[in-house]
Coordinates of all heavy atoms in Angstrom, one line a residue:
G1219 N 26.1 -36.3 48.1 CA 25.8 -37.7 47.6 C 24.3 -37.9 47.5 O 23.6 -37.2 46.9
D1220 N 23.9 -39.1 48.1 CA 22.6 -39.6 47.9 C 21.5 -38.6 48.4 O 20.2 -38.8 48.0 CB 22.4 -40.9 48.6 CG 23.0 -42.0 47.8 OD1 23.4 -41.7 46.7 OD2 23.1 -43.2 48.3
Q1221 N 21.8 -37.7 49.4 CA 20.8 -36.9 50.0 C 20.6 -35.6 49.2 O 19.8 -34.7 49.5 CB 21.2 -36.6 51.4 CG 21.3 -37.8 52.4 CD 19.9 -38.4 52.4 OE1 18.9 -37.8 52.6 NE2 19.9 -39.8 52.1
A1222 N 21.4 -35.4 48.1 CA 21.4 -34.1 47.5 C 20.0 -33.6 46.9 O 19.7 -32.5 46.9 CB 22.5 -34.1 46.4
W1223 N 19.3 -34.6 46.4 CA 18.0 -34.3 45.7 C 17.1 -33.3 46.5 O 16.6 -32.4 45.9 CB 17.3 -35.5 45.2 CG 16.9 -36.5 46.2 CD1 17.7 -37.4 46.9 CD2 15.6 -36.6 46.9 NE1 17.0 -38.1 47.8 CE2 15.7 -37.6 47.9 CE3 14.4 -35.9 46.7 CZ2 14.6 -38.0 48.6 CZ3 13.3 -36.4 47.4 CH2 13.4 -37.4 48.4
W1224 N 16.8 -33.6 47.8 CA 15.9 -32.8 48.5 C 16.5 -31.5 48.9 O 15.8 -30.5 49.0 CB 15.3 -33.5 49.7 CG 16.2 -34.0 50.7 CD1 16.8 -35.2 50.9 CD2 16.6 -33.2 51.9 NE1 17.6 -35.2 52.0 CE2 17.5 -34.0 52.6 CE3 16.4 -31.9 52.3 CZ2 18.1 -33.6 53.8 CZ3 16.9 -31.5 53.5 CH2 17.8 -32.3 54.2
M1225 N 17.9 -31.4 49.1 CA 18.5 -30.2 49.4 C 18.5 -29.2 48.2 O 18.2 -28.0 48.2 CB 20.0 -30.4 49.8 CG 20.0 -31.3 51.1 SD 21.7 -31.4 51.5 CE 21.7 -32.8 52.6
I1226 N 18.7 -29.8 47.0 CA 18.6 -29.1 45.8 C 17.2 -28.5 45.6 O 17.1 -27.3 45.2 CB 19.0 -30.0 44.5 CG1 20.4 -30.5 44.5 CG2 18.7 -29.3 43.2 CD1 20.7 -31.5 43.6
W1227 N 16.3 -29.4 45.9 CA 14.9 -28.9 45.8 C 14.5 -27.7 46.6 O 13.9 -26.8 46.2 CB 14.0 -30.1 46.1 CG 12.5 -29.7 46.0 CD1 11.8 -29.5 44.9 CD2 11.6 -29.5 47.1 NE1 10.5 -29.1 45.2 CE2 10.4 -29.1 46.6 CE3 11.8 -29.6 48.5 CZ2 9.3 -28.8 47.4 CZ3 10.7 -29.2 49.3 CH2 9.5 -28.8 48.8
L1228 N 15.0 -27.8 47.9 CA 14.8 -26.7 48.8 C 15.3 -25.4 48.3 O 14.7 -24.4 48.2 CB 15.4 -27.0 50.2 CG 14.6 -27.8 51.2 CD1 15.4 -27.9 52.5 CD2 13.3 -27.1 51.4
G1229 N 16.6 -25.5 47.8 CA 17.3 -24.3 47.3 C 16.6 -23.8 46.1 O 16.3 -22.6 45.9
Y1230 N 16.3 -24.7 45.2 CA 15.7 -24.3 43.9 C 14.3 -23.7 44.1 O 14.0 -22.7 43.5 CB 15.6 -25.6 43.0 CG 15.0 -25.4 41.7 CD1 15.6 -24.8 40.6 CD2 13.6 -25.8 41.5 CE1 15.0 -24.6 39.4 CE2 12.9 -25.6 40.3 CZ 13.7 -25.0 39.2 OH 13.0 -24.8 38.0
T1231 N 13.5 -24.3 44.9 CA 12.1 -23.8 45.2 C 12.2 -22.4 45.8 O 11.4 -21.5 45.4 CB 11.3 -24.8 46.1 OG1 11.4 -26.1 45.4 CG2 9.8 -24.4 46.2
G1232 N 13.1 -22.2 46.8 CA 13.2 -20.9 47.4 C 13.6 -19.9 46.4 O 13.0 -18.7 46.3
F1233 N 14.5 -20.2 45.5 CA 15.0 -19.3 44.4 C 13.9 -18.9 43.5 O 13.7 -17.8 43.1 CB 16.2 -20.0 43.7 CG 16.8 -19.2 42.6 CD1 17.5 -18.0 42.9 CD2 16.7 -19.6 41.3 CE1 18.1 -17.2 41.9 CE2 17.3 -18.8 40.3 CZ 18.0 -17.6 40.7
Q1234 N 13.1 -20.0 43.1 CA 12.0 -19.7 42.2 C 10.9 -18.7 42.8 O 10.4 -17.9 42.1 CB 11.3 -21.1 41.9 CG 11.7 -21.7 40.7 CD 10.7 -22.5 40.0 OE1 9.9 -23.1 40.7 NE2 10.6 -22.4 38.7
F1235 N 10.6 -18.9 44.1 CA 9.6 -18.0 44.7 C 10.2 -16.6 44.7 O 9.5 -15.7 44.5 CB 9.3 -18.5 46.1 CG 8.1 -19.5 46.1 CD1 8.3 -20.9 46.1 CD2 6.8 -19.0 46.0 CE1 7.3 -21.8 46.0 CE2 5.8 -20.0 45.9 CZ 6.0 -21.3 45.9
L1236 N 11.5 -16.5 45.1 CA 12.1 -15.2 45.1 C 12.0 -14.6 43.7 O 11.7 -13.4 43.6 CB 13.6 -15.3 45.5 CG 14.4 -14.1 45.5 CD1 14.0 -13.2 46.7 CD2 15.9 -14.3 45.6
L1237 N 12.3 -15.3 42.7 CA 12.2 -14.9 41.3 C 10.9 -14.3 40.9 O 10.7 -13.3 40.3 CB 12.7 -15.9 40.4 CG 13.4 -15.5 39.1 CD1 14.7 -14.8 39.5 CD2 13.8 -16.8 38.4
V1238 N 9.8 -15.2 41.2 CA 8.4 -14.8 40.9 C 8.1 -13.5 41.6 O 7.4 -12.6 41.1 CB 7.5 -15.9 41.3 CG1 6.0 -15.5 41.1 CG2 7.7 -17.1 40.4
W1239 N 8.6 -13.3 42.8 CA 8.2 -12.2 43.6 C 8.9 -10.9 43.1 O 8.3 -9.9 43.0 CB 8.8 -12.5 45.1 CG 8.2 -11.6 46.1 CD1 6.9 -11.2 46.2 CD2 8.9 -11.0 47.1 NE1 6.7 -10.4 47.4 CE2 8.0 -10.3 47.9 CE3 10.2 -10.9 47.5 CZ2 8.3 -9.5 49.0 CZ3 10.6 -10.3 48.7 CH2 9.6 -9.5 49.4
I1240 N 10.2 -11.1 42.7 CA 11.0 -9.8 42.3 C 11.0 -9.6 40.7 O 11.3 -8.5 40.3 CB 12.4 -9.8 42.8 CG1 13.2 -11.0 42.3 CG2 12.4 -9.7 44.3 CD1 14.6 -10.8 42.5
A1241 N 10.7 -10.6 40.0 CA 10.8 -10.5 38.5 C 10.0 -9.3 37.9 O 10.5 -8.6 37.0 CB 10.3 -11.7 37.8
P1242 N 8.8 -9.1 38.5 CA 8.0 -7.9 37.9 C 8.7 -6.6 37.9 O 8.5 -5.8 37.1 CB 6.7 -7.9 38.7 CG 6.6 -9.1 39.3 CD 8.0 -9.7 39.5
I1243 N 9.5 -6.4 39.0 CA 10.2 -5.1 39.1 C 11.6 -5.2 38.7 O 12.3 -4.1 38.6 CB 10.1 -4.6 40.6 CG1 10.1 -5.7 41.6 CG2 8.8 -3.7 40.8 CD1 10.1 -5.3 43.0
T1244 N 12.1 -6.3 38.5 CA 13.6 -6.4 38.1 C 13.8 -6.9 36.6 O 14.4 -6.2 35.8 CB 14.4 -7.3 39.0 OG1 13.7 -8.6 39.0 CG2 14.5 -6.7 40.3
L1245 N 13.1 -8.0 36.3 CA 13.4 -8.7 34.9 C 12.4 -8.1 33.8 O 12.8 -7.8 32.7 CB 13.3 -10.1 35.0 CG 14.2 -10.9 36.0 CD1 14.0 -12.3 35.9 CD2 15.7 -10.4 35.6
L1246 N 11.1 -8.0 34.2 CA 10.2 -7.6 33.2 C 10.5 -6.3 32.5 O 10.5 -6.1 31.3 CB 8.8 -7.6 33.9 CG 7.6 -7.5 32.9 CD1 7.5 -8.7 32.0 CD2 6.3 -7.3 33.7
P1247 N 10.9 -5.2 33.3 CA 11.3 -4.0 32.6 C 12.4 -4.0 31.7 O 12.7 -3.1 30.9 CB 11.6 -3.0 33.9 CG 10.9 -3.7 35.0 CD 11.0 -5.1 34.8
L1248 N 13.2 -5.1 31.8 CA 14.3 -5.3 30.8 C 13.8 -5.5 29.4 O 14.4 -5.2 28.4 CB 15.2 -6.4 31.2 CG 16.1 -6.3 32.5 CD1 16.8 -7.6 32.6 CD2 17.1 -5.2 32.3
F1249 N 12.6 -6.1 29.4 CA 12.1 -6.5 28.0 C 10.9 -5.6 27.6 O 10.7 -5.4 26.4 CB 11.7 -7.9 28.0 CG 12.8 -8.9 28.3 CD1 13.2 -9.2 29.5 CD2 13.6 -9.3 27.2 CE1 14.3 -10.1 29.7 CE2 14.7 -10.1 27.4 CZ 15.0 -10.5 28.7
L1250 N 10.1 -5.1 28.5 CA 9.0 -4.3 28.2 C 9.0 -3.0 28.9 O 9.3 -3.0 30.1 CB 7.7 -5.1 28.5 CG 7.4 -6.3 27.7 CD1 6.2 -7.1 28.4 CD2 7.0 -6.0 26.3
K1251 N 8.6 -1.9 28.3 CA 8.5 -0.7 28.9 C 7.1 -0.6 29.6 O 6.1 -0.6 28.9 CB 8.8 0.5 27.9 CG 9.1 1.7 28.6 CD 9.6 2.7 27.6 CE 9.2 4.1 28.1 NZ 8.7 5.0 27.2
L1252 N 7.1 -0.4 30.9 CA 5.8 -0.3 31.6 C 5.5 1.1 32.0 O 6.4 1.7 32.6 CB 5.8 -1.2 32.8 CG 6.1 -2.7 32.6 CD1 6.2 -3.4 34.0 CD2 5.0 -3.3 31.8
T1253 N 4.3 1.5 31.7 CA 3.9 2.9 32.2 C 2.6 2.7 32.9 O 1.7 1.9 32.4 CB 3.8 3.9 31.0 OG1 3.2 3.2 29.9 CG2 5.1 4.4 30.6
P1254 N 2.3 3.6 33.9 CA 1.0 3.4 34.6 C -0.1 3.8 33.6 O 0.1 4.7 32.8 CB 1.1 4.4 35.7 CG 2.5 4.7 35.9 CD 3.2 4.5 34.5
L1255 N -1.2 3.1 33.7 CA -2.4 3.4 32.8 C -2.9 4.7 33.2 O -3.1 5.1 34.3 CB -3.5 2.3 33.1 CG -4.8 2.5 32.3 CD1 -4.6 2.4 30.8 CD2 -5.8 1.4 32.8
S1256 N -3.1 5.6 32.2 CA -3.6 6.9 32.4 C -5.0 7.0 33.0 O -5.7 6.1 32.7 CB -3.4 7.8 31.2 OG -3.9 7.1 30.1
E1257 N -5.3 8.1 33.7 CA -6.6 8.3 34.2 C -7.7 8.2 33.1 O -7.4 8.7 32.0 CB -6.7 9.7 34.9 CG -5.8 9.9 36.1 CD -6.3 9.4 37.4 OE1 -7.5 8.9 37.4 OE2 -5.6 9.4 38.4
G1258 N -8.8 7.7 33.4 CA -9.8 7.7 32.4 C -10.8 6.6 32.8 O -10.7 5.9 33.8
P1259 N -11.8 6.4 31.9 CA -12.9 5.4 32.2 C -12.3 4.0 32.4 O -12.8 3.3 33.2 CB -13.8 5.5 31.0 CG -13.2 6.4 30.0 CD -12.0 7.1 30.6
L1260 N -11.3 3.6 31.6 CA -10.8 2.2 31.8 C -10.2 2.0 33.1 O -10.5 1.1 33.8 CB -9.8 1.9 30.6 CG -9.1 0.6 30.8 CD1 -10.2 -0.6 30.7 CD2 -8.1 0.4 29.7
R1261 N -9.3 3.0 33.5 CA -8.7 2.8 34.8 C -9.7 2.8 35.9 O -9.6 2.1 36.9 CB -7.6 3.9 35.0 CG -6.8 3.7 36.2 CD -5.5 4.5 36.2 NE -5.2 4.9 37.6 CZ -4.3 5.7 37.9 NH1 -3.5 6.2 36.9 NH2 -4.0 6.1 39.1
A1262 N -10.6 3.8 35.9 CA -11.7 3.8 36.9 C -12.4 2.5 37.0 O -12.7 2.0 38.1 CB -12.6 5.0 36.6
A1263 N -12.7 1.9 35.8 CA -13.5 0.7 35.9 C -12.8 -0.4 36.5 O -13.2 -1.2 37.2 CB -13.9 0.4 34.4
I1264 N -11.4 -0.5 36.1 CA -10.6 -1.7 36.7 C -10.4 -1.4 38.2 O -10.5 -2.4 38.9 CB -9.2 -1.7 35.9 CG1 -9.4 -2.1 34.5 CG2 -8.3 -2.6 36.7 CD1 -8.2 -2.1 33.7
E1265 N -10.2 -0.2 38.6 CA -9.9 0.1 40.0 C -11.2 -0.2 40.8 O -11.1 -0.7 41.9 CB -9.5 1.6 40.2 CG -7.9 1.6 39.9 CD -7.4 3.0 39.9 OE1 -8.2 4.0 40.1 OE2 -6.1 3.1 39.9
S1266 N -12.3 0.2 40.3 CA -13.6 0.0 41.0 C -13.8 -1.5 41.1 O -14.2 -2.1 42.2 CB -14.7 0.7 40.3 OG -15.9 -0.1 40.1
Y1267 N -13.5 -2.3 40.0 CA -13.6 -3.7 40.1 C -12.7 -4.4 41.2 O -13.2 -5.2 42.0 CB -13.4 -4.4 38.7 CG -13.4 -5.9 38.8 CD1 -14.7 -6.6 38.8 CD2 -12.3 -6.7 39.0 CE1 -14.7 -8.0 38.9 CE2 -12.3 -8.0 39.1 CZ -13.5 -8.7 39.0 OH -13.6 -10.0 39.2
S1268 N -11.5 -4.0 41.2 CA -10.5 -4.6 42.1 C -10.8 -4.2 43.6 O -10.6 -5.0 44.4 CB -9.1 -4.4 41.7 OG -8.8 -3.0 41.8
Q1269 N -11.4 -3.0 43.8 CA -11.8 -2.7 45.1 C -13.0 -3.4 45.6 O -13.0 -3.9 46.8 CB -12.1 -1.1 45.2 CG -10.9 -0.3 45.5 CD -11.0 1.2 45.1 OE1 -12.2 1.6 44.9 NE2 -9.9 1.8 44.9
K1270 N -13.9 -3.6 44.7 CA -15.1 -4.4 45.0 C -14.7 -5.8 45.5 O -15.3 -6.5 46.3 CB -16.1 -4.4 43.9 CG -17.4 -3.8 44.3 CD -18.5 -4.1 43.1 CE -18.1 -3.3 41.8 NZ -18.9 -3.6 40.7
Q1271 N -13.7 -6.3 44.8 CA -13.3 -7.7 45.0 C -12.2 -7.8 46.1 O -11.6 -8.9 46.3 CB -12.6 -8.3 43.7 CG -13.7 -8.4 42.6 CD -14.8 -9.4 43.0 OE1 -14.6 -10.4 43.6 NE2 -16.0 -8.9 42.7
T1272 N -11.8 -6.7 46.8 CA -10.7 -6.6 47.7 C -9.5 -7.4 47.1 O -9.0 -8.2 47.7 CB -11.1 -7.1 49.1 OG1 -11.6 -8.5 48.9 CG2 -12.2 -6.3 49.7
F1273 N -9.1 -6.9 45.9 CA -8.0 -7.5 45.2 C -6.9 -6.6 45.3 O -6.8 -5.5 44.6 CB -8.5 -7.8 43.8 CG -7.6 -8.7 43.0 CD1 -7.5 -10.1 43.3 CD2 -6.9 -8.2 41.9 CE1 -6.7 -10.9 42.6 CE2 -6.0 -9.0 41.2 CZ -6.0 -10.3 41.6
K1274 N -5.8 -7.0 46.0 CA -4.6 -6.1 46.1 C -3.9 -6.0 44.8 O -3.6 -6.9 44.1 CB -3.6 -6.7 47.1 CG -3.7 -6.1 48.5 CD -2.5 -6.5 49.3 CE -2.9 -6.9 50.7 NZ -2.2 -8.0 51.2
L1275 N -3.5 -4.7 44.5 CA -2.9 -4.5 43.2 C -1.8 -3.3 43.3 O -2.1 -2.3 43.9 CB -4.0 -4.0 42.2 CG -3.9 -4.4 40.7 CD1 -3.6 -5.8 40.5 CD2 -5.2 -4.0 40.1
D1276 N -0.6 -3.6 42.8 CA 0.4 -2.5 42.7 C 0.2 -1.8 41.4 O 1.1 -1.8 40.6 CB 1.8 -3.1 42.9 CG 2.9 -2.1 42.8 OD1 2.6 -0.9 43.1 OD2 4.0 -2.5 42.4
G1277 N -1.0 -1.3 41.2 CA -1.2 -0.5 40.0 C -1.5 -1.3 38.7 O -1.4 -2.5 38.6
V1278 N -2.1 -0.5 37.8 CA -2.4 -1.1 36.4 C -1.4 -0.5 35.5 O -1.3 0.8 35.4 CB -3.9 -0.7 36.0 CG1 -4.2 -1.3 34.7 CG2 -4.9 -1.1 37.1
W1279 N -0.8 -1.3 34.8 CA 0.3 -0.9 33.9 C 0.0 -1.2 32.4 O -0.6 -2.2 32.1 CB 1.6 -1.5 34.3 CG 2.0 -1.2 35.7 CD1 1.4 -1.7 36.9 CD2 2.9 -0.2 36.2 NE1 1.9 -1.2 38.0 CE2 2.9 -0.2 37.6 CE3 3.9 0.6 35.6 CZ2 3.7 0.6 38.4 CZ3 4.7 1.4 36.3 CH2 4.6 1.4 37.7
V1280 N 0.6 -0.4 31.6 CA 0.5 -0.6 30.1 C 1.9 -1.0 29.7 O 2.8 -0.3 30.0 CB -0.1 0.5 29.4 CG1 -0.2 0.2 27.9 CG2 -1.3 1.0 30.0
C1281 N 2.0 -2.1 28.8 CA 3.4 -2.4 28.3 C 3.3 -2.1 26.8 O 2.3 -2.2 26.1 CB 3.8 -3.7 28.6 SG 2.9 -5.0 27.7

Side-chain angles (χ1 to χ4, degrees):
D1220 281 355
Q1221 296 301 309
W1223 59 280
W1224 63 267
M1225 296 182 201
I1226 294 171
W1227 175 75
L1228 273 183
Y1230 176 79
T1231 307
F1233 182 66
Q1234 266 212 320
F1235 273 95
L1236 177 74
L1237 211 59
V1238 171
W1239 198 44
I1240 62 164
I1243 31 176
T1244 51
L1245 298 182
L1246 194 63
L1248 289 177
F1249 296 92
L1250 291 168
K1251 199 174 148 219
L1252 299 177
T1253 41
L1255 175 63
S1256 49
E1257 298 276 355
L1260 176 60
R1261 188 162 144 186
I1264 292 174
E1265 281 175 354
S1266 126
Y1267 175 80
S1268 65
Q1269 270 159 21
K1270 242 190 292 174
Q1271 293 302 314
T1272 57
F1273 191 69
K1274 260 195 225 142
L1275 209 54
D1276 176 27
V1278 183
W1279 301 75
V1280 183
C1281 74

